[in-house]
Amino acid sequence: MSTDIIGAAKPRIDGTAKLSGSAPYAADHYPANLAYAYGVFSTIAAGEITSIDVSQAKKMPGVIEIFHHDNFPNLHRTPSSFVQQNKVDETRLPFEDNHVYYGGQFVALVIADTFENARDAAYHVDVAYRAKKPVTSLSQALAQGEPKPADNKKHERGDPDTAYSGAAHKIEATYTTPIETHNPMEMHATTAHWHDGHLTFYEASQGVVFAKHTMAAIFGINPARIDARAPYIGSGFGSKLWIWPHAVACAAAARELDRPVQLVVPRQQMFTTTGHRAATQQKIRLATDDDGKLVSISHDSINTTSFVNRYVESCGSCTKSLYGCDNVRITESTVQVNHGTPTSMRAPGAAQGLFALESAIDEMAEQIGMDPLEFRRRNYTARDGSKDLPFSSVHLLEAYDKAADKFGWSKRNPKIGSMMRGPEILGWGMAACNWEAMKRDCDARVSLRADGTAFASCATQDIGTGTYTIVAQTVASLTGLPLERIEVELGNSSYPKGPLSGGSWATATALPAIHNATAKAIDALKQHAVEEDGVLAGRDAGQLEFVNGKLHGNGRSFSFADVLKARKIGEAFGEAHTNAASGDEYSFRSFGAHFVEIGWDPGISRLRVHRVVSAIDVGQIVNAKTAANQVEGAIDMGIGMALFEQTEYDHRTGMPINNNYAEYLVPTHLDQPESVDVILLDHPDTKFNELGVRGIGEIGITGMAAAVANAVYHATGKRVRDLPIRIEDLIQT
Ligand code: MOS
């Protein structure tokens, strides 16, 4: 195996196609006779439709059909076995009846000859409602009833209550995080085309295999009759993991009309009908002994979910194992509000959970008068207390040391507001980050072709993270081929079954399968060489070596193209299957630490993040460039979580207010830190898989909001426990 290509900072192999505009996204496919769909979206958040008048809209130019609950075809909800296997809840289908559960729900669908005609007619569909008073926030829902516990999520060990009451030092605090909305550049979209009872659909999807099986269940047809395709995705952050109503509506309309239909979800409705990060309220209790050792941890979280479907945020997923502690309790519960169903958003549960936990750890350290980094070191554990297993590979202490060193943490004056830079008060804060390392079953196929190129395929997808590139690097590492001679195809459900691009598991899942398939392709090539008519007929295949794209044996060498041509064979291929099992001897997690400097200028009430240094322990790094990009992007998203992001609702109507790119705040160029340093520790975790890779998409956002909040506290003495941190929080005395 050539080691220099694994870990190399290679640019994305799909970069040129994306930058030149030739990469087709879901709505860039135009089958012949394509019709366009546009939704009519509920303007109330709760209640029912009393009438739908389509008479004016039907007469408008180019209108083909208008669907709503009175004339929409009957489809099937996904059965519970399917649901459990895929860890999603059974969901209501679009247009099942006249009930309205959230603002922005599809209430009708106009199909027309052009996008503009469909949209125009949609604006002329007249819907009358009987509105109920909506539940529009977590606190309002709590005032109306008890939260519903997610029993399967509960974890308890030891006796956290007794340990807490008898402890020398303790804190209790409640933290809240708001609803945030994924805003990938590419809007959700579907282009659906039926032919002879077979559905092909292009979907902005983080999981073509999952999308195919979901549609098969909903339409009640054999999955073999469905192709889901997502060759390029303009990111997703989790919002494109599952099938949302628009995809079902689009495919159903295409079948009814017997012509291809395309539906793009407007940006405003990406705030209602395609998921969001749930709001949370989290109560944390911590207690230590006199030496600063944690003796009790409890973390009780409540998150918002919808009336359509239940979604539980795993806020305690890191709390149960990040620190050594014998007495720990985690509970997770939900309340229902009149919003669309929430879903996974980058590091779901952990992003919110570590804001709470890592803020509380900072509060605890302060109470016992200990440096927060020293406090974390003192409570470090190499064992996962929730499973009573050692971590497979943990370098959290090294992450602390390297990042602290680079940041200059030893120069921190712990006194609040004591560090100045010109008119600004500087605040230095830090937090740990953490994410589970997961993997799934995977198939892959790799071939060496007679034209001198290699071809790798797998039905996973690249959501912008660099999957195409690291698959090519893996093939290159065994074949020695330059990346230009390796073709990679992903994002097609008819390829060998691959994983969702989610959970940070695509790398750890797909690369071992690609690796094994490549090794098998090389073995197949050697076999072709030694067979009758082969270039080394009669030799022992085991004695041959394959280096830099050439087969060597008996003092001679041949390109693999020549080996294949000699036998008039098109390709030497390998197919591999790897499975999700990693044994039960270890707990597999990734670790890291963020160090943040903020500047607070009290004269003009300006708050900025100046510097971030993060050290991340995610196993073997496959591509130093794309890996660092993932962490840099996640740090930026963490700054957004800390200071900007919040989907706001009108509490009279339940409708989102800032449902657009202008008013939904994210960090802009001016909000960027002066420097962001990402240190990738690069220790292969070979207990997890033979390549030692764990995955890096999500961990960078975890802990980031707490590191900012802790820095803000250090500068201002204001402990902000409710995100986002606003200027108003800091100027109030
Ligand atoms: Mo991730 S939130 O599993 O796309």
Side-chain angles (χ1 to χ4, degrees):
M1 172 155 167
S2 133
T3 49
D4 52 341
I5 187 73
I6 296 296
K10 291 287 178 188
R12 286 168 169 73
I13 61 171
D14 50 330
T16 307
K18 285 186 164 177
L19 280 174
S20 62
S22 62
Y25 293 83
D28 292 330
H29 298 274
Y30 305 99
N33 202 30
L34 180 65
Y36 295 81
Y38 200 93
V40 179
F41 301 97
S42 166
T43 56
I44 65 165
E48 44 190 48
I49 300 162
T50 52
S51 70
I52 295 190
D53 180 357
V54 298
S55 54
Q56 197 194 348
K58 272 248 179 176
K59 286 186 233 142
M60 298 197 45
V63 171
I64 297 163
E65 182 57 280
I66 302 177
F67 293 103
H68 47 79
H69 66 271
D70 283 335
N71 67 349
F72 193 72
N74 278 323
L75 300 172
H76 312 278
R77 289 186 180 179
T78 46
S80 58
S81 58
F82 175 87
V83 160
Q84 280 155 15
Q85 191 185 334
N86 290 287
K87 297 200 165 60
V88 290
D89 286 348
E90 178 174 316
T91 192
R92 286 173 205 280
L93 294 166
F95 312 115
E96 276 193 359
D97 53 37
N98 69 335
H99 287 94
V100 175
Y101 302 97
Y102 60 93
Q105 183 180 316
F106 275 89
V107 295
L109 188 74
V110 177
I111 317 295
D113 59 345
T114 68
F115 172 81
E116 289 78 9
N117 282 341
R119 182 175 57 181
D120 197 9
Y123 290 164
H124 288 82
V125 173
D126 195 8
V127 185
Y129 301 95
R130 187 179 306 118
K132 285 198 311 196
K133 190 158 172 37
V135 184
T136 65
S137 70
L138 190 150
S139 54
Q140 192 191 346
L142 276 181
Q144 294 180 7
E146 288 294 306
K148 182 177 168 192
D151 290 331
N152 58 329
K153 299 275 187 165
K154 186 170 164 143
H155 170 76
E156 185 161 339
R157 62 181 187 266
D159 184 350
D161 293 330
T162 306
Y164 183 83
S165 37
H169 307 280
K170 57 187 85 169
I171 61 146
E172 175 178 324
T174 298
Y175 304 83
T176 68
T177 63
I179 287 183
E180 298 171 15
T181 301
H182 320 69
N183 270 286
M185 292 255 281
E186 181 204 19
M187 293 179 289
H188 285 260
T190 309
T191 305
H193 180 197
W194 292 84
H195 41 96
D196 303 330
H198 185 119
L199 169 66
T200 297
F201 71 113
Y202 290 91
E203 181 70 26
S205 170
Q206 293 176 233
V208 287
V209 174
F210 180 83
K212 159 174 143 166
H213 287 280
T214 306
M215 290 296 231
I218 288 171
F219 285 91
I221 61 175
N222 189 317
R225 292 195 161 197
I226 300 188
D227 278 328
R229 294 189 190 165
Y232 295 95
I233 305 107
S235 191
F237 304 117
S239 69
K240 294 172 181 169
L241 287 167
W242 319 123
I243 286 290
W244 295 105
H246 69 273
V248 179
C250 181
R255 192 177 63 172
E256 293 303 297
L257 300 173
D258 195 22
R259 66 186 279 186
V261 175
Q262 180 176 99
L263 194 167
V264 177
V265 178
R267 178 65 66 183
Q268 289 195 338
Q269 304 309 337
M270 288 185 52
F271 286 79
T272 59
T273 190
T274 55
H276 56 262
R277 194 195 285 288
T280 71
Q281 176 179 307
Q282 306 174 57
K283 188 173 90 177
I284 302 244
R285 293 198 316 185
L286 302 178
T288 70
D289 63 16
D290 277 325
D291 298 328
K293 287 282 291 174
L294 286 162
V295 295
S296 175
I297 300 175
S298 61
H299 188 165
D300 302 297
S301 67
I302 304 164
N303 72 267
T304 52
T305 189
S306 72
F307 288 95
V308 177
N309 193 325
R310 187 165 189 228
Y311 178 79
V312 180
E313 287 285 359
S314 305
C315 292
S317 59
C318 302
T319 309
K320 62 188 177 195
S321 64
L322 182 52
Y323 296 105
C325 185
D326 294 333
N327 305 294
V328 178
R329 180 171 55 237
I330 306 298
T331 70
E332 290 160 354
S333 329
T334 56
V335 291
Q336 287 174 300
V337 296
N338 288 108
H339 303 323
T341 303
T343 193
S344 304
M345 180 165 161
R346 203 174 202 170
Q352 303 103 309
L354 279 186
F355 165 66
L357 178 69
E358 288 298 285
S359 294
I361 289 282
D362 202 68
E363 297 199 43
M364 190 77 244
E366 199 201 13
Q367 199 195 105
I368 61 176
M370 192 180 285
D371 174 84
L373 174 57
E374 175 54 29
F375 182 55
R376 286 177 175 83
R377 281 203 185 100
R378 189 157 302 189
N379 288 286
Y380 165 83
T381 177
R383 278 184 86 74
D384 179 339
S386 71
K387 296 178 174 167
D388 198 22
L389 291 174
F391 294 120
S392 57
S393 171
V394 48
H395 302 88
L396 180 57
L397 294 176
E398 183 188 338
Y400 286 150
D401 288 346
K402 286 201 164 144
D405 223 40
K406 178 120 195 174
F407 186 84
W409 186 259
S410 62
K411 298 197 255 332
R412 181 179 187 262
N413 182 338
K415 193 167 156 359
I416 302 297
S418 64
M419 297 176 72
M420 302 290 293
R421 184 177 87 173
E424 287 186 329
I425 308 168
L426 299 182
W428 285 11
M430 54 89 50
C433 47
N434 195 238
W435 184 249
E436 187 177 357
M438 294 173 274
K439 61 183 188 182
R440 293 289 182 268
D441 292 353
C442 189
D443 297 342
R445 188 179 194 280
V446 173
S447 58
L448 299 166
R449 300 188 289 200
D451 66 358
T453 64
F455 177 70
S457 63
C458 176
T460 187
Q461 47 287 307
D462 187 333
I463 60 167
T465 47
T467 310
Y468 277 115
T469 309
I470 60 172
V471 165
Q473 285 175 272
T474 303
V475 174
S477 72
L478 288 169
T479 60
L481 288 178
L483 296 184
E484 309 81 73
R485 279 171 60 199
I486 301 168
E487 187 183 352
V488 182
E489 281 202 22
L490 309 174
N492 185 327
S493 67
S494 59
Y495 292 150
K497 185 172 177 271
L500 286 168
S501 298
S504 299
W505 65 53
T507 296
T509 299
L511 293 200
I514 293 285
H515 184 272
N516 294 358
T518 308
K520 286 184 177 176
I522 291 170
D523 287 345
L525 184 84
K526 289 176 180 171
Q527 203 54 48
H528 288 311
V530 299
E531 279 172 16
E532 197 178 333
D533 299 333
V535 291
L536 288 163
R539 303 280 165 186
D540 177 1
Q543 299 296 310
L544 306 182
E545 282 200 70
F546 190 75
V547 182
N548 289 333
K550 293 200 158 163
L551 196 64
H552 303 268
N554 202 29
R556 297 157 70 197
S557 72
F558 305 88
S559 73
F560 65 81
D562 288 341
V563 175
L564 296 168
K565 281 178 197 155
R567 297 200 63 226
K568 298 186 169 36
I569 283 173
E571 61 171 20
F573 69 91
E575 289 175 342
H577 171 80
T578 53
N579 69 51
S582 303
D584 49 14
E585 290 167 58
Y586 298 97
S587 169
F588 302 98
R589 298 193 74 86
S590 287
F591 302 88
H594 297 299
F595 289 74
V596 170
E597 176 184 298
I598 64 99
W600 167 244
D601 184 339
I604 57 170
S605 297
R606 188 180 66 187
L607 177 63
R608 286 283 187 278
V609 176
H610 287 323
R611 293 195 294 136
V612 181
V613 179
S614 304
I616 305 288
D617 172 26
V618 290
Q620 166 81 53
I621 299 301
V622 185
N623 183 319
K625 190 187 197 84
T626 56
N629 285 170
Q630 282 304 302
V631 181
E632 288 158 3
I635 286 170
D636 208 38
M637 207 160 159
I639 293 172
M641 181 180 182
L643 303 181
F644 302 108
E645 288 200 48
Q646 174 170 25
T647 307
E648 304 204 53
Y649 296 85
D650 184 328
H651 291 291
R652 296 163 303 181
T653 63
M655 303 302 287
I657 300 165
N658 56 343
N659 55 355
N660 53 70
Y661 260 4
E663 292 163 291
Y664 183 85
L665 301 186
V666 295
T668 66
H669 283 91
L670 266 177
D671 301 308
Q672 297 307 309
E674 291 153 27
S675 66
V676 174
D677 284 299
V678 175
I679 301 162
L680 301 168
L681 296 188
D682 206 13
H683 297 296
D685 183 354
T686 49
K687 297 189 177 92
F688 188 43
N689 57 57
E690 61 269 39
L691 303 186
V693 294
R694 283 205 297 248
I696 199 168
E698 296 176 285
I699 188 167
I701 191 174
T702 69
M704 189 57 204
V708 174
N710 297 341
V712 166
Y713 178 77
H714 180 232
T716 66
K718 299 263 165 48
R719 178 63 69 180
V720 183
R721 300 190 183 92
D722 305 295
L723 292 182
I725 299 168
R726 298 162 309 156
I727 301 300
E728 297 91 301
D729 298 321
L730 306 184
I731 60 180
Q732 279 161 10
T733 47

